[in-house]
Amino acid sequence: MRRRSLIVANWKMHGTVASVQSYLETMVARAMPTGPEVVICPPFTLLPAAVLIATGSEVVIGAQNCHWEDKGAFTGEVAPTMLVDLGVRWVIVGHSERRQYFGESDQTAAARSQAAQRAGLDVIFCLGETLEQRETGETMTVLERQSAVLAGLDPARLAVAYEPVWAIGTGRTATTVQAQEAHAALRRRLAGLLGTEAAAALRILYGGSVKPDNAAALLAQPDVDGALVGGASLDVEGFCAIIHAAPGGGRGAGE
Ligand code: PGA
């Protein structure tokens, strides 16, 4: 099954109003309806400006996190309904930096994802093993534990991002073999959790030091349906090069 590529920019804690404006104006001018689906996830402060520029274009805006309640006394938090109110369509949940620095657990990531989908957002659910876990042969055990919560989610509003923690921001990418192996195993696992048909349609993104020069090889793997790009997404030309490297992005064989 050919799944439409999904290429997501995770700006993390970077960007200014001026930078989001010029970046998105470039993206909007270049995105094509038949190419990969493109989602830009700037920090919360830049979401209103981003939505304003992207509205009516092929570029879609996402957030990097959301709370699991729709409202209430949760100082400093942002509800998924607030993101929908703004025109945001996607949200990243369970990123390893949230798990590592902000106490995110499988349970809180599950609660956030459910609340996001209830509000009408599509969820990019992140999972992945640490270097120590990979070296001790625990990769699949970790992925199975982290993915268990996906059984409670609507597969039609879900993408999964496999991001080996040891590859994030390190310049050390999983090999194409390692990525394909993990993605295929995840898809088998998702078939058990969500049903074969849903798992076959679901997009599994790779994340972790994706760059213009390694994107094509990773995205050519049969079970790699897109990329979640951190550092390399901050440069609009680099990010556009990654989009072009995806199947359907204009640079593949016969395109
Ligand atoms: P990176 O980040 O591309 O900078 O490794 C990816 C991510 O954390 O989503």
Side-chain angles (χ1 to χ4, degrees):
M1 170 190 275
R2 171 105 185 237
R3 294 166 286 265
R4 186 181 180 198
S5 303
L6 174 61
I7 311 291
V8 183
N10 174 13
W11 280 21
K12 308 192 180 186
M13 201 168 71
H14 296 280
T16 60
V17 173
S19 71
V20 83
Q21 190 158 352
S22 67
Y23 186 107
L24 275 171
E25 279 165 4
T26 306
M27 291 297 314
V28 163
R30 295 191 194 171
M32 301 166 298
T34 54
E37 192 173 349
V38 177
V39 180
I40 312 290
C41 304
F44 286 125
T45 52
L46 302 179
L47 288 173
V51 168
L52 207 63
I53 302 166
T55 297
S57 82
E58 294 299 324
V59 179
V60 171
I61 304 302
Q64 298 172 18
N65 188 27
C66 68
H67 194 60
W68 53 79
E69 295 288 347
D70 286 344
K71 61 180 172 200
F74 301 103
T75 302
E77 291 297 314
V78 174
T81 45
M82 294 170 174
L83 297 173
V84 172
D85 183 41
L86 204 58
V88 170
R89 303 249 302 274
W90 285 83
V91 63
I92 298 170
V93 175
H95 191 279
S96 66
E97 285 152 17
R98 305 287 324 163
R99 293 178 192 259
Q100 190 178 346
Y101 304 124
F102 303 101
E104 185 85 284
S105 65
D106 294 334
Q107 287 64 38
T108 54
R112 288 182 212 279
S113 302
Q114 283 161 7
Q117 288 194 337
R118 255 197 328 271
L121 292 168
D122 287 3
V123 170
I124 298 159
F125 190 92
C126 303
L127 36 74
E129 81 287 359
T130 62
L131 185 58
E132 195 191 343
Q133 289 164 336
R134 175 162 281 268
E135 284 174 345
T136 51
E138 288 172 76
T139 300
M140 265 331 288
T141 317
V142 171
L143 297 186
E144 275 175 24
R145 195 202 73 226
Q146 291 177 332
S147 61
V149 301
L150 299 175
L153 297 180
D154 174 3
R157 287 196 172 280
L158 180 66
V160 172
Y162 169 61
E163 297 205 304
V165 178
W166 47 272
I168 296 178
T170 57
R172 190 176 160 185
T173 326
T175 63
T176 52
V177 174
Q178 286 171 326
Q180 170 57 24
E181 196 176 65
H183 282 229
L186 265 173
R187 199 176 303 283
R188 286 193 295 276
R189 164 80 169 143
L190 292 169
L193 292 168
L194 302 166
T196 317
E197 225 170 279
L202 199 138
R203 289 174 294 185
I204 305 177
L205 318 183
Y206 170 79
S209 297
V210 176
K211 308 266 183 276
D213 61 356
N214 61 24
L218 287 161
L219 291 165
Q221 301 306 306
D223 285 292
V224 177
D225 309 310
L228 179 52
V229 188
S233 75
L234 295 172
D235 167 47
V236 71
E237 294 305 332
F239 188 60
C240 285
I242 292 170
I243 295 167
H244 288 307
R251 218 200 271 155
E255 286 169 5

